[in-house]
């Protein structure tokens, strides 16, 4: 990468991870911050960029105009009707356009592209792009679309980085699923959290800093970039309540019901990330200390 300035395109910069990433931009980055429906507040360190991934011509045009050194592709849709057009086709458009301008591509993927039947997964694990015939499908529509996006990115870019991460959480502001938990408990509802869905939650600040560091390295390929500790969604919910000073008695621990499409055990082995990156990803036990006990 050139010494300065480094031209960086971030898609999904207005999303949860994207906004945290924008808070830790290195001084030598010139960043184009892609958004779709939520314009970004003016910031002298970046150039806001309205971009719809469903518009392949627009994606190509933006890439040719900016000619970024690095593309951090975070954008997704959370609407099932747009999983294919935005997550799969949009990622394909980004990968092809990034390849055409010789940009380093860091594509954000997820642990839920995996089936959840192995004790743990290293970077050699293949995403489940298609359901296995005659077997219950462990993947959600979102997970399946992300699995197909990984395949498309691998086919259209010669040397992408595919980052698989897990539940992303943080407090300022709260992430999507912690907001759901907090709102439910504050309304006095019973909130069910699964005891048999094991994940490696990652603190958003640590993930964002890891991605910034990764952008400057030469590494290509799949990289697990999750938290260092495997924990059930239920145990994680208790830790979040501890961090937020909330009474957890409204949480009901339960196993995942039959037929619910979600992989059970997703432990991402993080040895490669630890050997590559100086940035540490801390465990929820370290992050979720009670208020007043945090550093
Ligand atoms: N959140 C998690 O727990 C988690 C776990 C594993 C992996 N990941 C991965 O991490 C990445 C970031 O996730 P996140 O939670 O930060 O996502 P998010 O908060 O839902 O943000 C999604 C982003 O995508 C943008 N977007 C939506 N539709 C678009 C379109 N048609 N064209 C261009 N951009 C569009 C949104 O823009 P507007 O808001 O402006 O519309 C927003 O900036 C994703 O790749 C996700 O798969 C997340």
């Amino acid at each position: 990468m050139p010494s300065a300035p480094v031209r960086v395109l971030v898609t999904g910069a207005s999303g949860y991870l994207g906004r945290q990433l924008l808070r830790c931009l290195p001084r030598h980055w010139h960043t184009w911050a892609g958004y779709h429906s939520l314009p970004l507040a003016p910031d002298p360190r970046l150039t806001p960029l309205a971009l719809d991934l469903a518009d392949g011509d627009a994606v190509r045009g933006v890439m040719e105009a900016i000619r970024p050194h690095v593309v951090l592709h975070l954008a997704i849709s959370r609407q099932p009707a747009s999983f294919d057009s935005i997550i799969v086709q949009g990622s394909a458009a980004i990968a092809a356009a990034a390849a055409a301008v010789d940009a380093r591509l860091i594509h954000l993927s997820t642990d839920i592209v995996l089936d959840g039947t192995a004790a743990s997964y290293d970077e050699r694990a293949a995403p489940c792009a298609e359901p296995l015939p005659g077997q219950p499908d462990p993947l959600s529509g979102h997970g399946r679309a992300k699995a197909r996006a990984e395949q498309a990115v691998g086919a259209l870019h010669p040397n992408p980085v595919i980052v698989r991460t897990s539940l992303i959480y943080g407090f300022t502001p709260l992430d999507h699923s912690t907001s759901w938990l907090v709102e439910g408990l504050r309304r006095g509802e019973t909130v069910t959290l699964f005891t048999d869905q094991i994940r490696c939650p990652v603190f958003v600040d640590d993930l964002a800093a890891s991605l910034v560091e990764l952008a400057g390295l030469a590494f290509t390929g799949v990289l697990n970039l999750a938290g260092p500790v495997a924990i059930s969604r239920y145990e994680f919910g208790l830790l979040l309540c501890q961090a937020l000073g909330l009474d957890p008695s409204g949480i009901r621990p339960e196993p995942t019901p039959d037929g619910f499409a979600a992989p059970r055990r997703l432990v991402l082995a993080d040895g490669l990330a630890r050997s590559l990156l100086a940035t540490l990803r801390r465990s929820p036990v370290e992050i979720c200390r009670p208020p007043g006990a945090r550093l």
Side-chain angles (χ1 to χ4, degrees):
M1 227 186 299
S3 50
V6 179
R7 295 192 299 280
V8 179
L9 169 62
V10 181
T11 73
S14 51
Y16 188 70
L17 175 59
R19 285 178 189 272
Q20 183 58 39
L21 192 74
L22 296 186
R23 289 195 203 125
C24 57
L25 296 180
R27 286 184 182 281
H28 64 289
W29 281 19
H30 181 174
T31 305
W32 282 262
Y35 65 89
H36 182 234
S37 60
L38 297 174
L40 292 154
D43 181 331
R45 301 166 311 146
L46 52 86
T47 306
L49 178 75
L51 179 63
D52 183 358
L53 292 185
D55 183 345
D57 289 341
V59 171
R60 272 189 298 281
V62 155
M63 207 71 79
E64 280 161 18
I66 299 173
R67 301 192 79 80
H69 299 105
V70 180
V71 177
L72 278 154
H73 175 42
L74 315 183
I76 50 166
S77 173
R78 290 180 178 266
Q79 305 302 320
S82 306
F83 285 167
D84 185 64
S85 59
I86 305 306
I87 296 180
V88 186
Q89 306 306 328
S91 296
I94 288 285
V101 299
D102 204 19
R104 175 168 172 73
L105 172 61
I106 299 179
H107 168 85
L108 253 289
S109 189
T110 165
D111 53 1
I112 60 168
V113 301
L114 303 166
D115 63 8
T117 58
S120 73
Y121 294 89
D122 68 15
E123 283 80 0
R124 291 167 296 184
C128 299
E130 301 301 334
L132 293 174
Q135 291 186 25
D137 191 352
L139 264 64
S140 62
H142 181 85
R144 181 78 61 209
K146 292 291 285 186
R148 291 183 177 143
E150 278 198 18
Q151 281 197 328
V153 166
L156 292 164
H157 193 284
N159 48 12
V161 183
I162 293 178
V163 168
R164 288 189 188 140
T165 192
S166 186
L167 298 177
I168 301 172
Y169 71 98
F171 303 116
T172 48
L174 293 180
D175 59 280
H176 307 287
S177 35
T178 307
S179 293
W180 167 81
L181 169 65
V182 168
E183 283 163 21
L185 292 176
R186 288 201 173 133
R187 284 196 297 265
E189 294 169 1
T190 299
V191 178
T192 300
L193 293 180
F194 297 129
T195 48
D196 57 352
Q197 288 187 23
I198 308 298
R199 302 289 186 266
C200 298
V202 63
F203 189 46
V204 66
D205 302 44
D206 296 347
L207 178 59
S210 299
L211 291 172
V212 168
E213 185 183 358
L214 183 60
L217 303 182
F219 171 84
T220 63
V222 177
L223 183 65
N224 290 343
L225 211 47
V229 167
I231 185 171
S232 74
R233 281 182 171 268
Y234 169 65
E235 293 166 308
F236 183 46
L238 297 183
L239 284 174
L240 290 169
C241 285
Q242 171 177 283
L244 295 165
L246 285 173
D247 176 3
S249 56
I251 298 181
R252 181 170 56 201
E254 279 196 3
T256 308
D258 286 344
F260 190 96
R264 299 301 190 263
R265 181 181 173 83
L266 292 173
V267 179
L268 296 181
D270 69 344
L272 181 57
R274 279 190 280 114
S275 70
L276 277 175
L277 300 173
T279 308
L280 294 176
R281 285 153 304 286
R282 291 163 287 176
S283 77
V285 174
E286 288 173 271
I287 298 294
C288 297
R289 295 181 201 278
R294 276 180 240 155
L295 296 176

